[in-house]
Amino acid sequence: MNRLRRTMMYVPGNNPGKLQSAGIYGADSIIFDLEDAVAVTEKDAARDLVASAVRDIRYPCEVAVRINHISTPFGHDDLRCILEAKPDMIRLPKAEYPEEIKVIADLIGRAEAKYGYPAGSIKMMASIESAQGLVNACAIAKADPRMAAIALGGEDFIADLNTTRSADGAELAYARSQIVVAARVAKIHAIDSVSTILNDDEAFLREARMIKQLGFDGKSCVHPRQVELMHKVYTPTAKEVAQARRILDGIKLALERKSGVIAVDGKMVDGPIITRAERIIAYAAVVGMNKEDADE
Amino acid sequence: MSNEAKRNLPDFIEGYGPVKPYRGPFATAPSGRRSGGKIALDVPHSEKLLRSIDQAIEAVGLQDGMTISFHHHFRSGDHVPGLVLAAIARKGIRNLTLAPSSLHENSDILIPLLEQGVVTAIQTSGGRGEVGRYITHGRLAKPTIFRSHGGRPRALASGELVVDVAFLGAPTCDIYGNINGVHGKSACGSLGYAMVDAAHADKVVAITDNLVQQPIFPISIPQDQVDFIVEVDSIGDPAKIATKVLRFTTDPRELLIAQRAAAVMEHSGLFQDGFSFQLGGGGASMAVARYIKEKMLAHKISGGFGLGGIGGVFAQMMEEGLFRMAFDAQSFDLAAVESLKKNPNHLEISASQYANPHTKGPLVNRLDMVFLGATEVDVDFNVNGLTDSNGMVMGASGGQSDTAAGAKLTVVCAPLLRGRLPIVRERVHTVVTPGETVDVIVTDYGVAVNPRRQDILARLKDSPLEVMAIEDLQRKALELTGVPDSVPVSDKIVGVVEYRDGTVIDVIRRPE
């Protein structure tokens, strides 16, 4: 686990001030948006602005660019302009078929060769925003080795289902689970939809805990406050870390003694528990909770 | 000659006089006696109430070349300077020195009076808008003297600033001249800055729109300091004197800075029961209160006192038992005015009690920590709050240098960049607060600790805060903006920035 994507924060591509300061809020990734946040009349200006930000500013996090879909008049222009500046990742909205991923992956590969960037250094992610996309989620997630994450685009998806957003998000339950399954099959990150909750920390935290429980690795965010709250939810507690360490120590001891059955805190430890403990320790190391673990 | 803040100064400034260079925050020991207003005789049953401002101007004997003062408690809702100066102009009086405690955005109304020569010199805390530009362009006959909120009462008490007539807006005044700021339609709360004018000016005229029978309670300025009273229809616009309650900023960048500043406090070693603090103006430093409150509740720590400008947010914290006392030299909003009126633990103090360095006990000396804003800071930790990056007067000295000198921990909150301008500079354009009194700079890109404070540095290194050298912060800023050209200035000195002890810490030269 060498990169976290707990938070992927959208930054409108047409706002120079926000582009400049995008890195200060501690998001794991920032996504410069050329799609929904930018009016049709502003597309070309935003594209140039984002390209220069990506090229000239050293951000302390992963830098992704959400391009317009390649079926629109803007998608290919976005790629032409942005790839030269070498973002870390291209995010495709409204993905429906794996072929779309292959087309973009191919363009990225050519750009890497043309500009002398290491092959495979520009990653991809796609967001599922329709029933058609969800049916193909697994194929989309596995479409190309560049794919690093698959996300849910909740608002468009809900519209496509002919329903509306509710407080408990029942209408997204199936899609959320499906996206997590697709991500796990492809061994990439699962990223939840943006939340429209801006002024109610408790409600946002409930949603964050719920999607963590579903298995998501992170969430697209629209406000710095959401970044902070997400990280709070996704940071393992000291108790969880201590317990995970006891489990791994128990395993080590059992292996040394060649003992068959392993029990920690009076409970039998088996494969899934060990996997979970290893994940917690690795996570704690990445977020800097245990400096000694990170050094090991 | 060069002073302790490494600024080159002439020995003598035309229109100011000989220059005493700044030598360090407490290097200048005062001598001499306190100076006060002229002694007076009040004949029994004589009448202080006059019919008009015109009559008051005659009664006090205002003449060409004198110095007059106003307070700035009515902020941008102030009608008093406009009324008084219009009357003075009508009488043909010229060449006055204007010495208000500060100048607000609405001071643009002064421009015609400056142009007509009614006012030809200014001594104050800061300048904004058109007046700031007028000063910077060198259009006044003398350089403007900028003093801190503590430096002004010191200059009044030492006799360096002699006010011939103070015209004091009085939200409530009785017929014998007792004044308070908590009652009346123009209530502004504390009259802390006006108190020192009343105590030191030769003549004091109260101008009120709420004249009442004697006596009133409370009394902020007593009758024995007031010569005359004039009743007018309106001394200010209540909506602009005090807003309902100053809201926290919602700007995520300012909130981020505020959050980090509160974390600095949390890990400073000073966050203990009974701690005291002050918040300066500016979005980020004001917002620190919100996070301090969270941390006080989380750690179950209760504070001693809050000082300086007091807002409703602090008043609320006091009501909730988080702080014991408020010392209020200036009330920021209506909620604070109400609190001052009702809460016996909310005390009104004069600017002298607040910050005058040459008394036996300014309250700033008891501060644990202060959070200040800035227009620029530099790698020597010098702070500018008076001029912008183009050398234009657009802010104020305020209580910045006073609190920085007094507090155990001085935290300056500023964004690394404003628009295309780097805020952490090689050298600030104007030094208002010397770096040796500034401990921590908090920006949106990281936190820097003054190397003089190895104790704080050690503590913050053990915290989750990202601590870096100030030079690294500067480098980050320049990476984004490039190196800006320096502002070319002429030899003409348009402003003299006095340190709180009356020495000169910097001068403002007219940009070319």
Side-chain angles (χ1 to χ4, degrees):
Chain A
M1 196 191 300
N2 53 9
R3 176 180 288 288
L4 298 180
R5 293 194 180 91
R6 298 166 296 180
T7 45
M8 303 191 83
M9 189 177 83
Y10 278 118
V11 178
N14 56 350
N15 184 322
K18 287 186 177 164
L19 287 175
Q20 184 197 60
S21 63
I24 67 177
Y25 298 108
D28 292 329
S29 312
I30 43 183
I31 306 169
F32 295 146
D33 189 14
L34 297 176
E35 199 216 11
D36 286 350
V38 180
V40 171
T41 51
E42 297 286 312
K43 293 285 185 196
D44 49 350
R47 194 182 290 139
D48 283 348
L49 207 55
V50 167
S52 35
V54 171
R55 194 171 44 236
D56 297 333
I57 300 178
R58 282 197 300 154
Y59 294 102
C61 57
E62 182 176 62
V63 177
V65 178
R66 176 162 82 167
I67 58 166
N68 292 279
H69 197 276
I70 47 171
S71 62
T72 69
F74 312 109
H76 285 277
D77 286 344
D78 289 345
L79 283 167
R80 247 191 305 283
C81 181
I82 298 298
L83 288 174
E84 186 179 356
K86 196 178 184 310
D88 298 317
M89 176 185 265
I90 293 293
R91 175 168 175 150
L92 177 70
K94 300 185 177 72
E96 296 199 317
Y97 301 98
E99 291 73 22
E100 296 161 357
I101 305 297
K102 291 189 187 119
V103 167
I104 297 171
D106 184 50
L107 288 169
I108 294 175
R110 282 191 226 171
E112 282 170 347
K114 180 176 173 189
Y115 301 117
Y117 303 141
S121 55
I122 300 175
K123 304 282 178 217
M124 274 191 76
M125 72 180 288
S127 73
I128 302 297
E129 304 179 30
S130 66
Q132 180 63 68
L134 190 69
V135 166
N136 288 335
C138 199
I140 289 169
K142 290 170 69 178
D144 192 272
R146 287 181 197 279
M147 283 292 286
I150 184 163
L152 175 63
E155 292 308 316
D156 284 293
F157 184 81
I158 289 167
D160 198 39
L161 284 193
N162 288 350
T163 181
T164 53
R165 193 126 180 169
S166 68
D168 68 353
E171 63 285 352
L172 287 178
Y174 175 71
R176 278 176 162 151
S177 294
Q178 183 78 336
I179 296 279
V180 173
V181 169
R184 294 299 162 256
V185 170
K187 297 193 170 20
I188 62 177
H189 281 149
I191 307 297
D192 187 40
S193 174
V194 296
S195 171
T196 47
I197 305 167
L198 284 180
N199 296 318
D200 184 345
D201 285 359
E202 274 315 309
F204 182 83
L205 284 170
R206 272 199 298 280
E207 181 171 309
R209 287 190 202 105
M210 187 262 288
I211 63 113
K212 181 181 178 232
Q213 187 62 29
L214 285 176
F216 277 101
D217 299 286
K219 196 171 178 52
S220 302
C221 297
V222 287
H223 194 274
R225 178 76 185 149
Q226 297 180 332
V227 171
E228 194 190 334
L229 295 171
M230 273 297 283
H231 289 191
K232 204 187 254 180
V233 168
Y234 269 76
T235 301
T237 64
K239 204 173 145 191
E240 285 171 328
V241 174
Q243 201 203 5
R245 188 173 299 119
R246 276 202 303 281
I247 288 167
L248 297 183
D249 287 350
I251 302 289
K252 216 167 142 190
L253 202 68
L255 284 175
E256 279 165 16
R257 290 180 185 165
K258 300 195 169 52
S259 145
V261 181
I262 306 155
V264 173
D265 295 344
K267 281 183 193 155
M268 213 180 79
V269 171
D270 54 7
I273 293 182
I274 298 168
T275 309
R276 182 167 173 271
E278 283 171 344
R279 202 172 63 236
I280 289 175
I281 294 294
Y283 215 101
V286 176
V287 299
M289 277 177 75
N290 295 284
K291 283 178 182 158
E292 65 275 24
D293 288 327
D295 295 340
E296 275 174 10
Chain B
M1 93 182 132
S2 176
N3 69 7
E4 197 66 21
K6 296 189 252 179
R7 296 289 153 147
N8 281 323
L9 307 171
D11 297 328
F12 185 90
I13 297 170
E14 198 60 47
Y16 175 78
V19 171
K20 284 184 288 177
Y22 165 74
R23 289 288 173 229
F26 298 100
T28 306
S31 60
R33 290 181 176 278
R34 274 194 294 268
S35 158
K38 287 187 174 153
I39 47 178
L41 169 69
D42 186 59
V43 180
H45 309 293
S46 62
E47 186 58 73
K48 284 190 185 181
L49 184 62
L50 304 179
R51 284 190 312 281
S52 65
I53 292 172
D54 283 81
Q55 200 187 8
I57 291 166
E58 281 161 28
V60 295
L62 189 71
Q63 290 172 12
D64 283 8
M66 282 188 167
T67 298
I68 62 170
S69 77
F70 302 95
H71 66 70
H72 73 287
H73 288 290
F74 297 159
R75 282 167 278 266
S76 52
D78 203 346
H79 291 169
V80 175
L83 290 171
V84 171
L85 284 161
I88 290 172
R90 281 197 298 273
K91 292 198 175 298
I93 297 170
R94 293 291 182 271
N95 266 328
L96 295 178
T97 294
L98 184 66
S101 50
S102 196
L103 289 169
H104 271 280
E105 283 77 3
N106 72 334
S107 57
D108 287 358
I109 55 151
L110 296 176
I111 295 295
L113 299 152
L114 302 177
E115 284 172 342
Q116 291 159 24
V118 178
V119 171
T120 49
I122 297 177
Q123 303 187 20
T124 186
S125 172
R128 295 180 168 87
E130 287 301 321
V131 173
R133 277 186 279 279
Y134 198 95
I135 292 169
T136 315
H137 290 146
R139 296 178 64 189
L140 286 166
K142 292 178 181 176
T144 296
I145 304 173
F146 294 100
R147 294 192 178 96
S148 72
H149 285 334
R152 183 171 184 271
R154 180 207 57 75
L156 282 164
S158 73
E160 283 160 52
L161 170 58
V162 176
V163 172
D164 295 295
V165 188
F167 293 94
L168 303 181
T172 288
C173 184
D174 72 26
I175 53 168
Y176 206 30
N178 294 298
I179 298 170
N180 75 43
V182 292
H183 296 125
K185 62 180 179 185
S186 305
C188 61
S190 174
L191 288 173
Y193 294 109
M195 286 176 181
V196 293
D197 293 68
H200 294 286
D202 282 353
K203 297 282 181 187
V204 175
V205 179
I207 297 172
T208 188
D209 55 8
N210 186 35
L211 185 71
V212 296
Q213 285 304 308
Q214 194 201 359
I216 56 166
F217 181 84
I219 294 171
S220 301
I221 293 172
Q223 63 197 34
D224 60 335
Q225 295 179 342
V226 176
D227 292 272
F228 298 108
I229 304 158
V230 178
E231 190 182 19
V232 296
D233 291 338
S234 165
I235 54 174
D237 175 356
K240 289 183 183 166
I241 290 175
T243 49
K244 212 165 184 185
V245 65
L246 279 182
R247 291 246 166 251
F248 287 131
T249 174
T250 52
D251 179 343
R253 180 200 302 254
E254 289 187 330
L255 289 173
L256 177 75
I257 296 170
Q259 203 172 8
R260 287 195 183 148
V264 168
M265 172 206 75
E266 185 183 10
H267 298 281
S268 66
L270 294 166
F271 185 43
Q272 294 170 359
D273 271 328
F275 81 96
S276 59
F277 85 120
Q278 178 171 343
L279 299 175
S285 48
M286 285 294 291
V288 177
R290 162 176 166 176
Y291 297 104
I292 288 182
K293 184 172 172 176
E294 279 177 17
K295 290 185 193 297
M296 290 176 79
L297 291 170
H299 295 273
K300 296 196 170 53
I301 283 177
S302 66
F305 69 85
L307 177 64
I310 297 290
V313 172
F314 187 84
Q316 176 77 26
M317 286 165 85
M318 202 165 45
E319 296 249 319
E320 290 166 8
L322 287 171
F323 278 91
R324 213 154 53 77
M325 303 281 293
F327 293 115
D328 188 346
Q330 185 184 13
S331 315
F332 281 151
D333 52 31
L334 278 182
V337 175
E338 274 305 299
S339 168
L340 179 62
K341 192 156 62 179
K342 290 184 181 150
N343 189 337
N345 292 328
H346 189 152
L347 296 188
E348 185 178 21
I349 55 165
S350 74
S352 184
Q353 289 170 297
Y354 165 42
N356 180 350
H358 293 168
T359 67
K360 294 164 189 173
L363 280 157
V364 291
N365 285 0
R366 309 307 290 177
L367 271 177
D368 285 322
M369 52 195 101
V370 62
F371 301 88
L372 298 166
T375 59
E376 294 178 321
V377 297
D378 69 23
V379 293
D380 294 323
F381 288 80
N382 295 312
V383 180
N384 176 15
L386 185 55
T387 53
D388 66 12
S389 302
N390 294 319
M392 196 65 72
V393 171
M394 50 66 73
S397 170
Q400 193 185 68
S401 64
D402 301 302
T403 51
K408 288 181 189 156
L409 175 71
T410 299
V411 180
V412 171
C413 304
L416 188 67
L417 313 166
R418 282 199 179 95
R420 294 158 53 203
L421 297 168
I423 297 308
V424 179
R425 310 289 304 267
E426 185 69 27
R427 277 165 68 92
V428 288
H429 189 79
T430 310
V431 181
V432 172
T433 297
E436 60 198 290
T437 62
V438 175
D439 304 313
V440 183
I441 310 265
V442 177
T443 74
D444 39 359
Y445 285 77
V447 172
V449 179
N450 192 329
R452 290 166 179 268
R453 294 303 301 269
Q454 289 297 318
D455 55 329
I456 298 288
L457 187 62
R459 283 176 180 278
L460 295 189
K461 279 213 162 143
D462 288 336
S463 79
L465 284 162
E466 197 179 343
V467 180
M468 57 184 77
I470 186 98
E471 290 81 6
D472 290 335
L473 270 181
Q474 187 207 7
R475 215 166 292 132
K476 276 195 182 207
L478 295 184
E479 239 174 54
L480 290 161
T481 63
V483 181
D485 292 339
S486 59
V487 179
V489 290
S490 67
D491 287 339
K492 183 176 167 77
I493 291 173
V494 297
V496 178
V497 185
E498 281 191 1
Y499 189 60
R500 57 199 299 255
D501 63 4
T503 59
V504 176
I505 191 155
D506 208 347
V507 292
I508 300 170
R509 293 183 167 89
R510 190 184 66 204
E512 273 182 343

